[in-house]
Amino acid sequence: MQSLPQRLTIERLFANPSLSGSSLREIHPAPDGRRVAYLKARPEDQFQFDLWEFNLEARVSRRLLDSGLAARGTAVSDVQQARNERERTAMFRGITRYSWSRDGSLLLVPLGDDIFLVDPDAPTAPEAIAVGDVLDPQISPQGRYLSYVRDQNLVIREIATGSERVLTTDGGGTVHNALAEFVAQEEMHQTSGYWWAPDDSAIAFKWFDEARVPVIPRLELHAGHAEVVRQRYPAAGDANVEVRLAVVTLAGGALDWIDLGADPDIYLVRADWGRDTDLLTYQRIARDQRTLELIAVDRRTGGQRVLVTERSSAWVNVGDRPVFLEHQDGFLWSSENSGHKHLYRYPLAGGPPVDLCEGPWGIDEVLAVDETAGRVYVSANRDALCERQVYALDLAEGAASPPTRITLADGWHEAEFARNAQLFVSTWSDPNHPPVVSVRDPGDRLIAWIEANPLDDTHPYAPYRGAHVPTEWGRLGARDGQELCYSLLRPLGFQAGRRYPVFLSVYGGPGVQIVTRQWGSLFEQFMAQEGYVVFRLDNRGSARRARRFTDVLDGVLGRHEVEDQLAGIEWLSQQDFVDSERIGVFGWSYGGFLALRLLCAASKQIAAGVAVAPVTDWALYDTFYTERFLKRPIDNPEGYRDSGVFAHLDGLTSDLLLVHGMADDNVLFTHSTRLIAALEERGILFQFMAYPGAKHGLSTPSNQVHVYRTIHAFFSAHVAGRDGTAGGPARVGEGL
């Protein structure tokens, strides 16, 4: 008799070692291309990372810095913890970030209250530099200085002598120097608020004062205590920070304030230096987010001119940084003016740009430029919407020459090139293979494996290979005829003629794609092994699509997303293997909002739903994200009313599980407490789970295990049936 394959458990998803195999993060080749640095999880703790290197000459890997060296000052400050939440690294411990010096001779590694400068050629253990509680440490481009933010001021430290200089002195209270404000961190992916000149002579930095941002008293409930946090949170329609841009010269320390224009109510996206210190650029986006400008500042004369203007009747997306060419008087810039995100070569002197690609596809980002070979390397979705591949574009001919596909394996490729573009580090996966990491030449020929991660009998996932459910892919039509991509897992042990319950996993928010051909959610594998059909669909607004696919969200959120997801539910209901009376929905954050809206719109079609940390009223969410789609509440009151949850609650009759962290500083706990009150007023029964002290991501392993066990138990009781089983074989005694 053949034994049944071993199935996943929720506890095993978060136990050690990682089921994905050797977990590598932050994989960056050295600028000189001699080695590759990366963070590697410990086998005994998949959430604690050490610094490693792979030496391309010796073809060996070794650990450069043990995260256990931090004997003091390992507690993470509240400010750094908030930054970790913004950067989605709050679950990780040990070494969570590092950076190369420009020449590749040193690595800067913050660890606790210390900074380690690691020489990868030195055989001895690196020495720690005690700097105290600082933020955003960097090595200057020429390697002479360390820089960091302490007490809201910008500080530099001469590496050779250890002497410190405080470059700004007004930081404190509501005034911040060289940092990114809340909405810039959360919504613009702005991880730094200062930018070194290439010759170490100056630093451009952001200055902001949040005095005019409303203070929201927020009660954080922890397991053993409660505290009132007075958070400055700019909700939709509120005042943003006052923002300025300055340049400080190291010789003398003089400040030069850059004129950002007559309108003070703007967003400063970022600043970037050109090939030398004569040119500084910055990106300015209007409060209504219909116009973005890339502006050049001549540092010799102080004169300014607009290099690029992006306009949209809906909204403009935050731009990538300009890539300045070394041997030509020009730069590369991505734009969605064609309806797709294409790459253009602009002359610095002015004049029309050259389109480097054309057609109904878009790039993700510029990876490298090889001016000698006349090539630009980009990642893009040209051959498949749900894949990420690397392509080479012709720098001279532009769109007249079709792109060359570099990566050949179907799936998802993350690539980072060395500065000379002669090699790149590839991280590849697909739904059946966990990530593998290799070094490759520009023709995709293998140079060396860093982590081959073979799924053999020694792999942590090996016991579960027999129960792994393959992913199916497809497209279906939206009501306006546009194509919607979906993925589907059939239940383990699928039998024709049986009808199974559905686990509908949604996100749906603008700028995110969840139907991707990469190693994915093992919790969804678990649910498929529990007997569910697992279904995902990318609705209108999802990332990496044409503007006509996303712009329908302008003015109202929730309406078109619900229509598209209902098209998916209708398609599911027509399949002979789906029990249309046992469809449940799960979503987190925007997905939690969409799960609630789906329950309100289609409780007759959806048996139950789980909403984790949901937005319930867009007037409570932050300015930059919300106003991008809905404008200010005063300008679009009906849009806000229709986009929220409360106007639709009378349609909610299905079973609901609401989950929220009680210290969430992103989607504030108020979203759920207001919903609880509204449900109570209507007499709507529901279940609720709150996590003391937890932020938006419920980021501790114990939080994760508990919340997913809770979700599974809820689906077992309210979707699959009260006997705790779904369509597959019963597993007696498991669950909550």
Side-chain angles (χ1 to χ4, degrees), residues 315-634:
W315 66 85
V316 291
N317 287 309
V318 171
D320 299 326
R321 68 180 184 89
V323 178
F324 292 94
L325 300 173
E326 292 290 332
H327 306 296
Q328 301 180 45
D329 191 26
F331 63 95
L332 304 180
W333 176 261
S334 60
S335 171
E336 294 180 302
N337 282 338
S338 69
H340 298 270
K341 187 178 179 181
H342 285 172
L343 186 65
Y344 299 84
R345 175 168 52 81
Y346 277 80
L348 261 178
V354 175
D355 191 347
L356 300 184
C357 51
E358 64 180 7
W361 56 279
I363 72 162
D364 298 312
E365 61 177 328
V366 175
L367 300 171
V369 179
D370 185 345
E371 290 188 62
T372 301
R375 283 185 147 197
V376 182
Y377 296 97
V378 300
S379 58
N381 62 358
R382 181 175 185 264
D383 293 315
L385 288 170
C386 58
E387 294 192 1
R388 181 181 174 110
Q389 302 287 347
V390 178
Y391 300 85
L393 308 179
D394 192 309
L395 186 59
E397 295 295 326
S401 178
T404 301
R405 179 165 162 176
I406 302 299
T407 48
L408 300 179
D410 293 343
W412 195 268
H413 296 262
E414 299 284 350
E416 182 164 341
F417 280 72
R419 180 175 296 143
N420 62 9
Q422 297 309 298
L423 61 83
F424 68 96
V425 179
S426 166
T427 302
W428 171 85
S429 73
D430 72 9
N432 299 318
H433 297 87
V436 300
V437 182
S438 60
V439 183
R440 315 186 83 84
D441 72 10
D444 199 37
R445 288 176 288 271
L446 178 68
I447 296 175
W449 287 106
I450 296 178
E451 182 51 73
N453 203 17
L455 198 51
D456 56 22
D457 290 344
T458 66
H459 195 280
Y461 197 66
Y464 310 99
R465 286 178 301 180
H468 186 84
V469 178
T471 304
E472 301 175 24
W473 310 89
R475 301 186 185 189
L476 54 89
R479 292 185 180 181
D480 65 355
Q482 295 197 60
E483 287 189 329
L484 306 172
C485 299
Y486 71 81
S487 63
L488 181 144
L489 303 177
R490 294 177 188 250
L492 178 66
F494 176 82
Q495 298 177 18
R498 294 191 63 179
R499 291 185 179 272
Y500 296 88
V502 173
F503 181 79
L504 172 61
S505 179
V506 300
Y507 182 79
V512 175
Q513 180 183 22
I514 63 171
V515 179
T516 56
R517 198 165 281 149
Q518 62 181 316
W519 185 250
S521 166
L522 291 180
F523 177 69
E524 292 180 5
Q525 275 289 326
F526 166 81
M527 293 299 282
Q529 293 173 21
E530 289 291 289
Y532 292 86
V533 173
V534 177
F535 188 77
R536 288 184 171 198
L537 181 140
D538 275 328
N539 50 249
R540 247 76 62 89
S542 301
R544 307 178 80 229
R545 297 294 297 267
R547 288 304 300 253
R548 66 184 292 263
F549 188 84
T550 63
D551 286 359
V552 295
L553 272 57
D554 185 35
V556 62
L557 296 174
R559 180 189 302 166
H560 300 283
E561 301 95 304
V562 165
E563 287 180 357
D564 290 348
Q565 294 293 338
L566 289 180
I569 289 173
E570 181 180 355
W571 179 86
L572 282 168
S573 299
Q574 295 169 356
Q575 308 309 303
D576 60 9
F577 56 87
V578 168
D579 185 342
S580 61
E581 295 185 358
R582 294 194 294 167
I583 295 175
V585 61
F586 156 72
W588 197 310
S589 194
Y590 199 104
F593 157 73
L594 185 52
L596 289 171
R597 287 293 306 271
L598 280 166
L599 292 174
C600 293
S603 277
K604 291 182 179 179
Q605 298 160 267
I606 305 173
V610 180
V612 183
V615 173
T616 60
D617 181 353
W618 287 105
L620 299 176
Y621 201 59
D622 73 57
T623 51
F624 188 84
Y625 186 94
T626 309
E627 294 174 15
R628 187 188 320 165
F629 313 111
L630 299 180
K631 303 182 176 67
R632 297 178 302 169
I634 194 173

Side-chain angles (χ1 to χ4, degrees), residues 80 85 108 118 136 142 182 206 212 248 252 320 390 404 457 491 630 642 696:
Q80 185 60 60
E85 284 286 332
L108 179 153
V118 180
D136 193 18
Q142 299 301 316
F182 171 84
K206 176 184 281 193
R212 61 189 186 185
V248 57
D320 299 326
V390 178
T404 301
D457 290 344
L630 299 180
D642 190 50
H696 188 61

Side-chain angles (χ1 to χ4, degrees), residues 87-102:
E87 296 172 19
R88 308 301 189 257
T89 59
M91 181 175 279
F92 303 135
R93 299 185 296 276
I95 300 170
T96 59
R97 56 183 60 81
Y98 71 91
S99 57
W100 281 105
S101 64
R102 187 177 179 86

Side-chain angles (χ1 to χ4, degrees), residues 636-714:
N636 184 22
E638 183 59 28
Y640 275 82
R641 191 194 73 84
D642 190 50
S643 296
V645 170
F646 299 101
H648 308 278
L649 281 179
D650 289 340
L652 197 163
T653 58
S654 298
D655 294 318
L656 168 67
L657 169 63
L658 177 64
V659 180
H660 217 123
M662 301 179 82
D664 195 331
D665 62 350
N666 179 5
V667 179
L668 305 181
F669 192 44
T670 310
H671 285 268
S672 280
T673 56
R674 287 194 59 194
L675 178 60
I676 290 168
L679 293 172
E680 177 195 1
E681 290 173 1
R682 289 166 172 80
I684 299 173
L685 300 181
F686 64 99
Q687 295 184 27
F688 178 57
M689 179 64 208
Y691 287 89
K695 300 291 186 182
H696 188 61
L698 305 180
S699 300
T700 68
S702 62
N703 283 163
Q704 294 280 300
V705 169
H706 193 276
V707 72
Y708 283 114
R709 288 186 66 204
T710 302
I711 293 164
H712 170 235
F714 180 83

Side-chain angles (χ1 to χ4, degrees), residues 46-128:
Q46 63 171 299
F47 303 107
Q48 182 171 348
F49 287 80
D50 300 325
L51 178 67
W52 286 68
E53 72 138 6
F54 179 82
N55 188 297
L56 279 162
E57 296 173 0
R59 303 296 173 96
V60 295
S61 295
R62 63 169 177 154
R63 186 166 63 181
L64 293 177
L65 187 59
D66 182 346
S67 61
L69 289 176
R72 66 181 190 278
T74 55
V76 178
S77 68
D78 290 342
V79 176
Q80 185 60 60
Q81 183 180 3
R83 286 170 60 88
N84 293 346
E85 284 286 332
R86 305 285 84 77
E87 296 172 19
R88 308 301 189 257
T89 59
M91 181 175 279
F92 303 135
R93 299 185 296 276
I95 300 170
T96 59
R97 56 183 60 81
Y98 71 91
S99 57
W100 281 105
S101 64
R102 187 177 179 86
D103 64 359
S105 64
L106 290 175
L107 289 138
L108 179 153
V109 187
L111 187 57
D113 283 348
D114 296 333
I115 290 176
F116 288 84
L117 289 179
V118 180
D119 181 352
D121 288 321
T124 58
E127 293 292 327

